[in-house]
Amino acid sequence: MHRCLLSTLLLPLIILAADKKKPEFGPLLSLEQIYEKNEFNSKGYSMKWLNPGQGYVRAEKSKETKDAQDIVQYNPATGRKNILVMAKTLIPKGEKKPLKLNSYTFTEDLSKVLIFTNTRRVWRRNTRGDYWVLNRDNGQLKKLGGDAEESTLMFAKFSPANSNHVAYVREKNIYVEDLGSGQIRVLTNRESDTVINGTFDWVYEEELGLRDGYRWSPDGKAIAYWQLDEEGVPEMNMLNNVSGYYPKLITFRYPKTGETNAIGRVGVVQLEDGQTTWMKVPGDPRNHYIARMDWADNSSQLLLQQLNRLQNQNKVMLAEVRSGKVKTAYTDEDQAWIEVRFGFTQWIEKGKQFTYVSEREGWRQLYFVSREGRKARKVTEGKYDIIRVLKLDEVSQLLYFIASPDNATERYLYQIGLDGEGLKRVTPLGQNGSHSYSISPDAKWAFHTFSNLDSPPVTNLIELPSHKTVRVMEENQVLREKLSKLKRPQTEFFRIKIAKNLEVDAYAILPPDLDSKKKYPLLIYVYGEPAGQTTVNSWRGSGGLWHWMLAQQGYVVMSIDNRGTTAPRGNAWRKSIYRQVGILASKDQAAAVKQVLKDRPYLDAERVGVWGWSGGGSMTLNALFRYPDLYRMGISIAPVPNQRLYDTIYQERYMGIPKDNEEGYKKGSPITFAKNLKGKLLLVHGTTDDNVHYQGMAKLIDELVANKKQFEMLAYPNRSHSVREGRNTTIHLRTAMTDFLRRALPVGP
């Protein structure tokens, strides 16, 4: 008895001693660690470059004011810092706490700073809120907007010529406010509720990346702006079933494929008299898109880019702001489509030439175009794509851009002379993965961030063009230590041959203790649409760690990029899916899965699953419905079951106008083949998804029911396309996905 008592007394001491030695993180990941406790979140390094010679600024925790941030200026050469704005100077009169810094902008002389705070979400981003101006010379803090309602101002900007003038958009009109006198003038007019000035409708924002819809002239005497009129655009209705006892109707204009677009035009309003001159751009304004607009290196002309509705022609135009007369300087054409989102426009040689990115000769390259359009000289040559142009520096006569000529899954910094000579990789060798850069205005410095599938981001300050590291800004050391304690999966990038002279890129995440004599279930993570690429060798955050967790549990996770994705493999690769989205891509995916099953005997052909989100959700449906004997389960989140239900700009860009491609739309839509479902399917959708509407999910469910097909379904009320709003939504979704996967595609013998 005494021995037992002694053992009982000693046991807690032994456990306590063991607990002290036990690592904080066990060898296996859990959903709670990843999505609830956020124990593996990586850190970035947020900053903003100032004008040449002024260094950079960033918001940092204030030492004097609790729960607040100062704005600090840094000298990149020495690292010396100077507090430009102390948090205590941002406390409004009568308040106790300083303004929250959502974003901020300085005047060129740093005498004033514009603070954006109290923000609200508009579709994707928080672009609506309150603006305040702090005068650093006298400490005066002033709220803009006069009697404007809370959080109704957008895109406030100082005049480039007079820091006492600030323009902003308020309730779809453009205003200018004089900080000295306090006078507020409305510069635009809304003749009806369907008119939008200085910002955009849903589809322009989502598919052309346009939000801020006005530009100050360099001399500060005029403002150029977009105006849209949504009259005639069909309305989309969604229901909010959560906020009260009765559902609330959410209505907005949304042009589905083949339907009527908003009228788009560009005008220039003179501050002197408030009169707008409209640019006389030819063509039906409902069936053309003014996709880009800015001042043409002076205050008398604008440079416009006009896409036709098919988006296979881009006319670059010069517009006279006083008369509105327009002249086409350059025309770019493609047999499929043109992507303006990869463009880069900068004036050089004192306005004699401008830059333009085109795929017209088979690869995405940079051209110099003369102001009048008589000459177009290609600067970059070779069989490689410019992924993104970062900086053109006339002083050093160098162009910096991201490319990866030898490996479409990686990203590196390159430079070339403006004469087209001296192509050189700037990123050092031996750092395989993805590299991104924020280059200073004078091209002497850059913040360089590097990561890969196995390693979280490291951010350094470097010198250019040497790429010499000046100092490490963020290396995520704490996260690295946590990851080092895990039972790490194996990762690899490889190519799969799916036809003669055709290979596709892929990566695999393998169980840590994979035994090639055993059989493992295969889960494919897919996107496959022409708006993205999954096989990029970069850190994947929480989504990547979920895949790690599955690999730890015995799953093999792979991702494959079919033809038609944005991979830097040439124009022919990307445009091969024109007018057949969903058809060729799912064929490539299936061919790759079949081949990898042959190449790797440890993969179980009877346990193949697929999952994806948005376009990947559509591809998941295509996989299960078109190849029901290959895929045994799928998780489809926020898919587009019927391409006719998506918007004009995106879907018509890749599929053409519905009346000209009825068969393509039908065969490319997963709902057409829903009757073929054999495997287990989990459908997930947010009921107020303004992007990919719940309507499509309802139609798919109706079709599955009509064909006696069983499935599981999660409808998240009042969630958008990201399915992230509301308490515990993300952990709930990931738990549901994991549980379904374990049931439908179990690990083990």
Side-chain angles (χ1 to χ4, degrees):
M1 183 176 179
H2 290 289
R3 183 179 296 174
C4 292
L5 178 61
L6 181 61
S7 299
T8 305
L9 291 171
L10 286 174
L11 185 59
L13 298 177
I14 295 170
I15 292 174
L16 286 172
D19 282 347
K20 288 182 180 179
K21 295 180 181 179
K22 184 179 179 181
E24 184 179 352
F25 294 88
L28 299 180
L29 286 162
S30 70
L31 289 170
E32 289 73 20
Q33 285 178 310
I34 300 171
Y35 292 109
E36 196 166 32
K37 298 179 181 178
N38 300 315
E39 292 174 355
F40 293 90
N41 283 2
S42 63
K43 294 180 180 179
Y45 190 81
S46 178
M47 47 70 61
K48 296 177 70 171
W49 288 109
L50 296 172
N51 293 315
Q54 293 179 334
Y56 65 92
V57 288
R58 67 189 309 263
E60 294 183 347
K61 184 178 180 180
S62 175
K63 293 182 179 180
E64 291 191 12
T65 308
K66 185 180 179 181
D67 299 326
Q69 292 179 306
D70 301 327
I71 301 177
V72 183
Q73 179 187 25
Y74 279 88
N75 182 318
T78 65
R80 187 176 300 147
K81 70 177 185 178
N82 171 43
I83 299 178
L84 289 182
V85 178
M86 300 186 74
K88 64 182 181 182
T89 64
L90 297 177
I91 301 176
K93 188 176 181 180
E95 300 291 333
K96 295 181 179 180
K97 294 182 178 181
L99 301 170
K100 179 182 177 182
L101 297 174
N102 290 99
S103 69
Y104 52 89
T105 306
F106 284 89
T107 54
E108 285 196 13
D109 62 1
L110 307 182
S111 64
K112 297 184 181 73
V113 59
L114 186 64
I115 305 295
F116 185 40
T117 188
N118 194 27
T119 64
R120 300 289 186 273
R121 185 171 164 186
V122 179
W123 307 125
R124 297 289 156 269
R125 299 180 185 175
N126 285 31
T127 53
R128 183 165 57 86
D130 295 329
Y131 282 93
W132 297 70
V133 173
L134 173 69
N135 187 321
R136 294 182 59 239
D137 293 334
N138 59 24
Q140 182 182 11
L141 182 65
K142 175 184 174 62
K143 186 179 182 181
L144 300 182
D147 60 356
E149 292 186 12
E150 181 182 3
S151 300
T152 56
L153 272 57
M154 306 174 74
F155 315 120
K157 295 192 283 277
F158 288 112
S159 163
N162 184 346
S163 64
N164 275 326
H165 289 168
V166 181
Y168 47 79
V169 176
R170 170 185 164 188
E171 296 173 325
K172 301 178 182 179
N173 267 322
I174 300 173
Y175 291 74
V176 65
E177 183 166 341
D178 188 315
L179 300 179
S181 67
Q183 181 188 28
I184 299 174
R185 296 170 55 202
V186 58
L187 299 179
T188 55
N189 179 41
R190 296 185 69 209
E191 296 178 354
S192 72
D193 289 340
T194 59
V195 172
I196 303 169
N197 295 302
T199 187
F200 297 92
D201 66 352
W202 186 94
V203 72
Y204 269 72
E205 175 176 323
E206 178 70 20
E207 309 302 1
L208 294 175
L210 295 172
R211 291 174 175 84
D212 176 358
Y214 76 94
R215 310 284 185 267
W216 274 105
S217 63
D219 62 10
K221 295 180 180 180
I223 289 176
Y225 65 98
W226 275 270
Q227 183 188 81
L228 299 184
D229 188 346
E230 294 184 292
E231 177 67 33
V233 179
E235 291 183 337
M236 183 65 204
N237 296 305
M238 303 186 300
L239 279 179
N240 175 351
N241 282 299
V242 176
S243 63
Y245 291 112
Y246 290 90
K248 292 182 179 179
L249 194 64
I250 302 170
T251 301
F252 59 101
R253 307 269 180 169
Y254 184 107
K256 296 180 186 288
T257 58
E259 299 293 337
T260 301
N261 281 317
I263 296 171
R265 60 178 178 171
V266 166
V268 176
V269 58
Q270 301 293 329
L271 266 65
E272 183 179 18
D273 58 12
Q275 295 299 308
T276 291
T277 300
W278 297 105
M279 302 303 102
K280 300 172 184 177
V281 180
D284 181 353
R286 287 194 189 271
N287 291 310
H288 290 80
Y289 308 108
I290 300 179
R292 295 291 181 265
M293 177 272 287
D294 213 331
W295 293 89
D297 201 46
N298 58 37
S299 295
S300 60
Q301 291 180 314
L302 298 178
L303 189 73
L304 311 175
Q305 294 187 42
Q306 183 204 47
L307 292 169
N308 61 341
R309 180 152 178 167
L310 280 174
Q311 299 170 72
N312 58 12
Q313 183 186 77
N314 186 16
K315 290 185 177 180
V316 184
M317 304 174 176
L318 284 170
E320 302 291 335
V321 301
R322 287 292 184 177
S323 67
K325 291 182 179 179
V326 171
K327 177 184 177 181
T328 299
Y330 184 73
T331 301
D332 192 17
E333 294 181 316
D334 194 287
Q335 292 183 349
W337 69 83
I338 291 170
E339 291 272 19
V340 295
R341 60 181 166 149
F342 297 112
F344 174 83
T345 304
Q346 180 174 322
W347 290 94
I348 60 172
E349 295 182 0
K350 297 181 179 180
K352 293 180 180 179
Q353 297 187 84
F354 61 88
T355 62
Y356 184 83
V357 177
S358 175
E359 298 174 311
R360 65 189 309 156
E361 295 183 45
W363 299 87
R364 190 181 299 131
Q365 303 284 320
L366 183 81
Y367 294 76
F368 287 164
V369 182
S370 64
R371 190 177 193 94
E372 300 303 322
R374 297 189 184 95
K375 296 180 181 179
R377 176 173 68 86
K378 187 160 66 167
V379 180
T380 52
E381 292 277 0
K383 293 184 178 181
Y384 66 89
D385 285 307
I386 289 178
I387 297 171
R388 184 184 175 196
V389 179
L390 297 183
K391 179 68 65 176
L392 187 155
D393 181 40
E394 283 197 88
V395 175
S396 64
Q397 289 289 292
L398 289 175
L399 175 77
Y400 291 98
F401 59 93
I402 298 295
S404 187
D406 302 319
N407 188 333
T409 70
E410 298 177 344
R411 304 289 185 265
Y412 301 105
L413 180 65
Y414 280 76
Q415 70 177 41
I416 194 171
L418 301 189
D419 58 1
E421 300 294 328
L423 177 66
K424 175 186 176 182
R425 172 171 156 169
V426 181
T427 303
L429 298 174
Q431 295 183 2
N432 296 339
S434 293
H435 300 257
S436 62
Y437 297 80
S438 174
I439 300 178
S440 64
D442 58 9
K444 294 180 179 179
W445 312 93
F447 283 93
H448 162 230
T449 301
F450 163 63
S451 75
N452 57 37
L453 199 61
D454 292 316
S455 182
V458 176
T459 299
N460 300 321
L461 175 64
I462 64 169
E463 291 180 353
L464 287 177
S466 68
H467 208 286
K468 177 184 176 182
T469 298
V470 178
R471 63 186 66 90
V472 178
M473 312 309 294
E474 178 58 65
E475 55 184 339
N476 279 296
Q477 188 57 40
V478 173
L479 174 57
R480 291 175 189 279
E481 291 174 3
K482 293 177 182 178
L483 293 172
S484 69
K485 298 174 184 177
L486 295 175
K487 193 173 184 180
R488 297 280 292 257
Q490 307 170 51
T491 61
E492 62 172 300
F493 279 80
F494 59 102
R495 280 194 167 183
I496 307 168
K497 187 173 183 178
I498 63 172
K500 186 178 180 180
N501 300 322
L502 179 58
E503 294 182 333
V504 294
D505 289 299
Y507 70 75
I509 303 174
L510 308 173
D513 48 3
L514 184 140
D515 184 344
S516 60
K517 296 179 181 179
K518 294 182 179 180
K519 290 287 187 178
Y520 295 86
L522 171 63
L523 178 66
I524 301 293
Y525 167 55
V526 67
Y527 182 72
E529 291 248 335
Q533 177 188 359
T534 59
T535 61
V536 178
N537 190 7
S538 63
W539 184 247
R540 299 307 176 91
S542 59
L545 289 171
W546 185 65
H547 286 157
W548 278 26
M549 185 193 79
L550 296 179
Q552 288 177 337
Q553 296 174 4
Y555 291 93
V556 172
V557 180
M558 290 187 181
S559 192
I560 302 161
D561 267 316
N562 49 262
R563 284 174 290 176
T565 63
T566 56
R569 297 185 62 174
N571 201 30
W573 167 274
R574 290 185 290 274
K575 307 296 176 63
S576 60
I577 51 84
Y578 185 54
R579 293 170 65 90
Q580 52 176 341
V581 169
I583 302 171
L584 182 62
S586 57
K587 180 181 177 182
D588 280 3
Q589 289 281 334
V593 170
K594 291 175 183 177
Q595 186 60 47
V596 84
L597 289 172
K598 292 179 182 178
D599 295 341
R600 304 189 181 213
Y602 59 81
L603 295 176
D604 189 349
E606 299 300 315
R607 288 182 291 169
V608 177
V610 58
W611 89 275
W613 202 309
S614 190
S618 307
M619 202 61 63
T620 296
L621 296 178
N622 271 318
L624 263 70
F625 298 167
R626 293 172 185 271
Y627 302 93
D629 295 323
L630 178 61
Y631 301 93
R632 301 308 169 97
M633 63 75 64
I635 301 172
S636 174
I637 304 176
V640 181
N642 186 342
Q643 294 181 23
R644 285 299 311 273
L645 299 179
Y646 203 50
D647 72 68
T648 51
I649 297 181
Y650 180 93
Q651 208 66 50
E652 292 176 4
R653 178 190 300 151
Y654 308 120
M655 290 294 289
I657 308 298
K659 65 181 179 63
D660 299 329
N661 189 21
E662 290 183 8
E663 193 69 9
Y665 273 87
K666 181 179 179 180
K667 289 184 177 179
S669 296
I671 196 170
T672 304
F673 305 94
K675 61 181 179 293
N676 298 331
L677 176 65
K678 290 183 180 180
K680 297 178 180 179
L681 172 62
L682 173 62
L683 298 171
V684 180
H685 217 108
T687 63
T688 51
D689 185 340
D690 58 89
N691 184 353
V692 178
H693 306 144
Y694 184 73
Q695 174 194 23
M697 180 63 73
K699 287 178 177 287
L700 174 62
I701 291 171
D702 190 52
E703 184 69 14
L704 289 168
V705 170
N707 284 279
K708 301 178 183 178
K709 299 298 180 180
Q710 295 297 316
F711 57 92
E712 296 182 31
M713 199 265 178
L714 275 172
Y716 283 91
N718 268 29
R719 270 66 168 188
S720 68
H721 194 56
S722 59
V723 195
R724 61 180 170 85
E725 300 83 1
R727 187 164 59 94
N728 291 327
T729 297
T730 299
I731 185 67
H732 185 279
L733 172 58
R734 290 289 175 166
T735 301
M737 293 168 64
T738 306
D739 289 348
F740 179 80
L741 180 63
R742 287 170 178 164
R743 287 186 283 111
L745 206 71
V747 296

